[in-house]
Amino acid sequence: MHAKDFRNKPLSIGEVAELTSLTPRTIRYYHEIGLVPEPDRDGAGNRSYRMEGITRLLWVQRMTAAGLSLEAVREAAEATDDQQVQTLLTELDRVLAAKEERLRQQRAAVARLRELGSTTGLFTPEVAAVYKAAGLEVPSKEEQEFMLLLEATHGTGAALDMVRAEAFLETRPDLKAEGARLASLFDELADADIDDPRVERYAQEMAAYNAAVEAAEEAAGVHPTEPDLSEADDRGIMLGSQAMGAATVQPSPAQARAVERYLDLTMADYLEKNGPDTE
């Protein structure tokens, strides 16, 4: 083939695909939607690409690589002056900046989770940050699962209150030790009969412990006056409670009775102090 013949020979769709790194299927699609005009065809009926059509494909490729949608590329192609293209690119820059900010926030969230050292990664960044700041030990997987469910049903604020309460106990070794003792007593009830005297003892002592913790928190100014349920809804709370009740490890009859009695005592104490809710 002479050099002149080579220079004048149009490219086939396969050759254009090789040149532009676009697939033949993508090129055909651009033709179908009218983004790139169909080229002339040769005597055999095959598409025959010359420089104008090839550069149009390269231009579309560059614009889409920059992040423009195909519809935006079409608008840019139909623009009658440079200002229209500049407007499209300005809007694209705004969209990309928003995506960049979301990615920055996501990376910051991941960094905070990694900093906590949690292997399960079940905490939201806010809760993880409080754990880290308070120097608390990384809780067990089961405790993290409970916290995740609490956040989902009652909102992040409820989970943060629980973590702050745990952090407060770190400053009160006496209350922390009493809580550990009651936890051991609760474990003992796993093999106890429902009428075991330790059931009532646990309920009474747990109610007294709960009151002591609340009083200490209020004195230190760390106990919220009203629970913030703005992020929660009744249906979510109900489903969350059902999920918590469906835990793999179920309490024994004695443990369930002890918790029931503890809640009865706590509610009675609340009503005695605040009176019934008449609303």
Side-chain angles (χ1 to χ4, degrees):
M1 179 182 295
H2 295 294
K4 181 178 179 181
D5 295 333
F6 178 78
R7 287 196 300 270
N8 292 335
K9 186 177 183 296
L11 274 64
S12 67
I13 191 171
E15 291 169 330
V16 172
E18 183 180 355
L19 175 65
T20 62
S21 298
L22 296 168
T23 65
R25 182 176 180 179
T26 298
I27 295 172
R28 294 190 191 97
Y29 178 67
Y30 288 165
H31 294 322
E32 290 174 9
I33 64 175
L35 191 59
V36 177
E38 279 273 5
D40 295 332
R41 294 184 180 259
D42 59 20
N46 297 317
R47 292 180 177 87
S48 183
Y49 292 85
R50 295 190 178 276
M51 192 175 85
E52 182 178 2
I54 296 169
T55 54
R56 176 63 173 264
L57 283 166
L58 288 169
W59 177 80
V60 170
Q61 181 188 43
R62 177 164 297 184
M63 296 294 274
T64 55
L68 282 175
S69 66
L70 291 181
E71 187 57 38
V73 173
R74 186 194 305 279
E75 291 182 37
E78 296 172 353
T80 57
D81 59 65
D82 186 61
Q83 183 56 44
Q84 290 176 268
V85 177
Q86 288 298 324
T87 300
L88 284 169
L89 292 176
T90 298
E91 173 61 16
L92 172 62
D93 186 62
R94 185 194 66 78
V95 171
L96 291 176
K99 289 182 179 180
E100 187 176 46
E101 175 60 18
R102 286 196 296 272
L103 286 173
R104 186 196 67 77
Q105 293 175 358
Q106 288 174 329
R107 292 197 66 192
V110 169
R112 287 195 293 270
L113 288 171
R114 292 180 64 191
E115 185 180 7
L116 178 66
S118 170
T119 56
T120 55
L122 292 176
F123 288 133
T124 60
E126 294 84 0
V127 174
V130 173
Y131 260 100
K132 184 68 176 181
L136 298 173
E137 294 182 3
V138 177
S140 67
K141 181 175 181 293
E142 290 74 19
E143 291 171 323
Q144 292 191 47
E145 288 173 345
F146 174 81
M147 190 70 71
L148 180 67
L149 190 57
L150 183 66
E151 289 182 66
T153 56
H154 290 68
T156 302
L160 287 172
D161 284 343
M162 179 170 288
V163 178
R164 292 187 182 114
E166 185 178 342
F168 173 72
L169 288 179
E170 291 295 317
T171 69
R172 292 291 303 268
D174 55 330
L175 292 175
K176 183 178 179 181
E178 177 64 3
R181 184 187 71 81
L182 289 170
S184 296
L185 177 57
F186 184 77
D187 289 340
E188 292 175 12
L189 296 178
D191 300 320
D193 294 329
I194 195 170
D195 56 354
D196 190 300
R198 289 176 296 175
V199 170
E200 183 63 21
R201 178 159 62 90
Y202 171 84
Q204 296 281 350
E205 293 179 356
M206 189 63 191
Y209 171 73
N210 181 67
V213 171
E214 286 190 355
E217 288 176 335
E218 289 174 358
V222 298
H223 188 64
T225 55
E226 289 291 340
D228 181 10
L229 298 180
S230 59
E231 299 176 66
D233 63 84
D234 292 341
R235 175 67 175 170
I237 292 174
M238 183 192 74
L239 292 175
S241 299
Q242 182 178 342
M244 292 174 187
T248 303
V249 180
Q250 294 291 320
S252 70
Q255 288 174 324
R257 176 58 179 162
V259 172
E260 181 183 350
R261 282 289 299 136
Y262 155 66
L263 293 176
D264 288 343
L265 292 169
T266 301
M267 179 58 69
D269 182 63
Y270 175 84
L271 293 175
E272 182 179 347
K273 293 178 180 177
N274 302 279
D277 187 358
T278 58
E279 293 185 3

